[in-house]
Amino acid sequence: REIAATREGFIGVCGGPRNGLTTSTVGVVRSVDAYVYGVYKVFDTGTWDIPYVTDFEREEGHDLETTITRAQRSEAEVIYVPPITSDEEAKVLIKAAAKSGIIAEYPAKDAVSGLLQLIKWIGDEELVASNVKAIITSKLIRKLCPSCKQAYAPNPKLLAKIGLSKETKALYRHRVQPQELQKGETWDSCPKCHDIGYQGQIAMFELLEMTEGMQEVVRAKPSPDAIRAQVKKDGGLTLQKDGLHLVSNGTTSLEELQRTFKS
């Protein structure tokens, strides 16, 4: 909400297929205060009905640049645009972000890759550093079944290795399977998850903010490692950090986190 509270700048939402990309993008659009800013969308969002967002019809024969210019002349202060699919579209949107807020989604595995993709599309590091406000990534992970998940005391060495506090008293995992039962233990089927051990999904998020430090990195033709180092220096939220938070509060398991990143 803080990042979206301006009348200019590009916010990109990226992620892989089947990871809640459009849902996350709509969440970003809804984070804009529509009572303060004129929020427009210039394409058909299908079944998504976003309250207090104005539908701006794209006239026949008008390209994306013309449509955005028309919306800006109609007092649009923040514009939700179609997913980016080409460098031509990216260049139009980054330039338009100098006059109004632009929110768009596009495919990239994480925020670092998303920023590098923009730099590649635009071909102008200064334009990216000046007009991008943030890149957000979402990635879905399965939640442990609340009815049958099991607590266990984590090894202190494991906690140190993965970066969790040594004060963490318990982590959770899906319960043992019948073949893993010890002698004398009984097995009761779980009606909620049907013995899968997981029920539902939740999103992990990553936020790369265009701070002054990140602007300097971008202008210097950055490598992925340089961008990651600056995100860490800025204290930014990463997928790994958010995933470990979900592990530490019992929402998911360490095994599921490892499986998700491996896949």
Side-chain angles (χ1 to χ4, degrees):
R1 287 193 180 99
E2 291 175 4
I3 292 171
T6 59
R7 290 180 171 83
E8 66 283 321
F10 176 88
I11 299 178
V13 186
C14 56
R18 298 181 300 279
N19 272 291
L21 179 55
T22 299
T23 304
S24 296
T25 309
V26 171
V28 171
V29 175
R30 295 189 66 175
S31 74
V32 180
D33 190 342
Y35 289 104
V36 177
Y37 304 105
V39 186
Y40 285 46
K41 62 184 178 73
V42 296
F43 71 111
D44 183 4
T45 52
T47 58
W48 282 105
D49 181 21
I50 312 175
Y52 311 113
V53 172
T54 301
D55 287 310
F56 190 80
E57 292 188 8
R58 186 168 177 172
E59 294 187 1
E60 186 175 352
H62 283 187
D63 58 15
L64 180 61
E65 184 174 11
T66 303
T67 301
I68 290 176
T69 300
R70 287 181 53 238
Q72 289 172 332
R73 289 172 179 171
S74 298
E75 300 183 349
E77 295 171 298
V78 177
I79 307 174
Y80 179 22
V81 300
I84 305 173
T85 59
S86 68
D87 57 346
E88 291 85 358
E89 293 173 346
K91 290 173 182 176
V92 167
L93 297 177
I94 292 296
K95 290 178 181 177
K99 296 182 179 180
S100 59
I102 300 291
I103 299 173
E105 67 178 74
Y106 58 99
K109 67 177 182 178
D110 55 30
V112 173
S113 300
L115 179 57
L116 289 170
Q117 181 62 66
L118 279 180
I119 294 171
K120 180 179 179 181
W121 272 333
I122 305 303
D124 185 335
E125 288 82 2
E126 178 59 39
L127 203 57
V128 173
S130 300
N131 290 352
V132 171
K133 286 197 294 187
I135 308 293
I136 298 167
T137 303
S138 63
K139 189 175 183 66
L140 293 175
I141 190 169
R142 293 186 299 173
K143 296 191 295 183
L144 283 165
C145 174
S147 295
C148 65
K149 66 181 181 181
Q150 295 181 331
Y152 66 96
N155 186 311
K157 291 183 179 180
L158 173 64
L159 293 176
K161 182 178 180 180
I162 63 178
L164 287 178
S165 169
K166 62 181 180 181
E167 303 301 322
T168 304
K169 302 299 181 185
L171 296 179
Y172 289 82
R173 59 190 169 203
H174 64 79
R175 67 173 180 167
V176 298
Q177 297 302 302
Q179 65 270 21
E180 299 172 308
L181 292 176
Q182 300 297 315
K183 187 176 181 180
E185 293 181 328
T186 59
W187 172 264
D188 293 318
S189 183
C190 178
K192 281 192 173 291
C193 70
H194 304 289
D195 303 324
I196 295 173
Y198 295 91
Q199 186 182 40
Q201 293 177 302
I202 192 170
M204 300 179 289
F205 290 99
E206 186 165 80
L207 172 62
L208 186 158
E209 189 173 357
M210 191 60 70
T211 61
E212 290 184 3
M214 187 62 74
Q215 286 180 323
E216 292 180 7
V217 170
V218 170
R219 290 177 177 124
K221 301 184 183 298
S223 66
D225 288 342
I227 297 174
R228 291 190 186 96
Q230 187 61 43
V231 170
K232 184 177 181 180
K233 185 177 180 179
D234 292 335
L237 180 67
T238 64
L239 290 172
Q240 291 83 355
K241 187 185 293 185
D242 202 25
L244 285 172
H245 171 70
L246 295 174
V247 169
S248 66
N249 67 18
T251 300
T252 192
S253 68
L254 188 58
E255 292 78 13
E256 173 65 4
L257 186 65
Q258 292 170 329
R259 183 198 68 81
T260 301
F261 281 113
K262 185 177 180 181
S263 65

